[in-house]
Amino acid sequence: MKLVKSLLLGTAAGIVAVAGANAADLPNKKGAPVEYVRVCSEYGKGFFYIPGSDACIQIGGRVRADTEYRQTYNRSADTVGFGAQARINLDVRQNTPYGTVRAYMRYSLAHSASDWQTAGRYTTTTGAGGNSNTAGGSGLDLAYIQFAGLTAGRVQSFFDYYANNYNFAGIRNSDTKTQALAYTFNFGSGVSLTAALEDGNERRLYGRSNAFTFRDSTGIRDYNGYESAGATAPDVVGNLMVNQSWGAAQLSGALHQVRPAFSSSVTANGVTTRYLTNNLDKDTDYGWAVKGAVKLNLPMIAPGDELWVEAAYSQGALSYIGAGSYSMPTLNIPTTDAYVGANGGIKLSSGWSVMADFLHYWTPGLRSNLFASYMKIDTNSNAYGLGGLSNVLGNYNVGFVPMSEIRVGTNLIWSPVKNFDIGVEVLYTRTDPKGRVLDYNNGGPVKTISSEDNWQGRLRVQRDF
């Protein structure tokens, strides 16, 4: 028995020894290191470290669907339209010994049946040579780098403030994306000062007017705009901003170059329009604009409530008051930074606008906005005059006719979950030119009108992420 026991123990020991030797002879393979995605909480929610880097990135965007109604006045115009937009945002930040360096990009893709549906804002685009600045158009929306107070790239203009923040359709306030080089001085306690050089091409308003040539006591006169020459200087823009617990305020200013080309006529569709630029009294002029804006936090009414108010005035830089290439269903009133007077001199247009928006939360998931704007554009008698088919229509104004416009709207937005909105909006617009003007789009006999009213409605479904 002892012999058997000794044999069994010896055999077991030998097996263990052989197994250990064989295991030692096997190759030792280590698994490849795994790069896990790590949360980067330093810059807020949604940031994570780029694998293999100490930079942090946040990915976001939105998907939007619109169904729109617009009052029309002839059968060739679309009354109902649909639009869709997708947008992607990338925000990359990294600490350096000199502060945070940030790169931000926002790109939009849109599709719809017609321009007004895609634009997403009712004819508030800039003029010839300018940026469309559409809410739904495809293309690079924003792309900039920030470092130690420096901002360079495509940004929201530093002149802007409210910039159609809460309304679906546009009201009259400056809302322009542009290329810029800027520096911001932060003084602490929520006070900052920004000085910027911005691309003036995005702000140009120029072109031919709706004038007709006619005779008066001075001979043949043309009430026309000018062709813009190439820019030789950027727009100079600055703002002073204060952010406090009660809200925020901003004072903005801009200087805009007006530089006409030396052409004498333009032919379009077989019609030649004379431009009296051979006797220009100056090679270059400068328009300017100023604006004051304030945002008030109103938690005493309801958490999240806000009131935005701003007012702007301009001479020779009408984009800064929210003016743009303007066309209502029946009115066609061109706007321009400047025009050529009867003696060939360059004259600057002037104008002003005011707007307000009140945001109110009925419940945490149900909110609405009540908003309005008023804009007035003035030109002197060198920019417009009487013309027309007196035997048929009587006298009416032609050229760059002074005008005023009011827009009033409201919306109601339901958010069943965070970052998901279902909303409806109604906008009313009334335009009043000086005197009577031609009705260009009535689709029937030629006539003149003295004002126009228009309604627009929209249903929007939007998901942000």
Side-chain angles (χ1 to χ4, degrees), residues 57-266:
I57 186 171
Q58 182 190 63
I59 301 173
R62 75 178 181 204
V63 175
R64 170 188 291 176
D66 283 332
T67 302
E68 301 177 75
Y69 165 83
R70 181 174 69 164
Q71 184 179 357
T72 57
Y73 295 86
N74 63 73
R75 293 181 63 86
S76 64
D78 293 328
T79 300
V80 178
F82 295 83
Q85 182 204 63
R87 190 169 78 180
I88 189 74
N89 314 329
L90 298 177
D91 191 348
V92 179
R93 307 188 194 189
Q94 183 178 13
N95 276 332
T96 75
Y98 307 98
T100 301
V101 59
R102 180 191 187 194
Y104 182 87
M105 184 198 78
R106 188 166 79 191
Y107 195 89
S108 295
L109 294 169
H111 179 78
S112 64
S114 66
D115 289 339
W116 71 267
Q117 296 156 10
T118 302
R121 294 187 184 150
Y122 188 54
T123 56
T124 57
T125 59
T126 58
N131 166 45
S132 64
N133 287 304
T134 59
S138 298
L140 186 63
D141 193 29
L142 297 170
Y144 57 84
I145 297 170
Q146 291 180 315
F147 176 67
L150 176 71
T151 301
R154 182 168 177 80
V155 298
Q156 186 80 38
S157 171
F158 286 95
F159 185 89
D160 298 353
Y161 192 62
Y162 174 73
N164 290 295
N165 201 17
Y166 295 137
N167 47 295
F168 299 171
I171 57 177
R172 294 297 179 177
N173 65 120
S174 181
D175 183 8
T176 299
K177 308 295 193 311
T178 185
Q179 291 65 241
L181 179 64
Y183 191 86
T184 299
F185 302 86
N186 286 301
F187 302 107
S189 302
V191 180
S192 65
L193 174 67
T194 298
L197 301 178
E198 298 188 356
D199 188 353
N201 290 326
E202 304 283 11
R203 293 286 193 173
R204 288 177 177 173
L205 286 175
Y206 66 89
R208 288 173 293 170
S209 73
N210 59 356
F212 297 92
T213 300
F214 65 95
R215 292 183 180 274
D216 62 8
S217 58
T218 64
I220 297 178
R221 299 179 64 184
D222 294 321
Y223 296 103
N224 291 314
Y226 68 97
E227 290 294 308
S228 180
T232 61
D235 282 15
V236 179
V237 175
N239 73 54
L240 177 64
M241 180 178 289
V242 178
N243 282 285
Q244 304 290 335
S245 59
W246 53 263
Q250 178 174 303
L251 180 64
S252 305
L255 188 67
H256 173 70
Q257 186 182 64
V258 176
R259 187 167 181 258
F262 289 91
S263 59
S264 59
S265 65
V266 171

Side-chain angles (χ1 to χ4, degrees), residues 263-325:
S263 59
S264 59
S265 65
V266 171
T267 300
N269 300 322
V271 177
T272 299
T273 304
R274 300 201 309 138
Y275 286 76
L276 304 180
T277 55
N278 291 329
N279 299 315
L280 288 176
D281 57 349
K282 57 184 69 176
D283 171 80
T284 302
D285 206 344
Y286 286 91
W288 55 273
V290 293
K291 180 174 69 178
V294 64
K295 182 192 78 169
L296 299 176
N297 297 326
L298 303 174
M300 69 290 294
I301 301 177
D305 281 19
E306 298 171 349
L307 175 64
W308 299 66
V309 179
E310 68 178 46
Y313 177 83
S314 170
Q315 285 191 359
L318 297 186
S319 170
Y320 288 97
I321 66 170
S325 54

Side-chain angles (χ1 to χ4, degrees), residues 19 87 149 207 271 280 317 344 351 369 382 414 440:
R87 190 169 78 180
V271 177
L280 288 176
N369 289 274
N382 285 324
W414 176 47
Y440 284 88

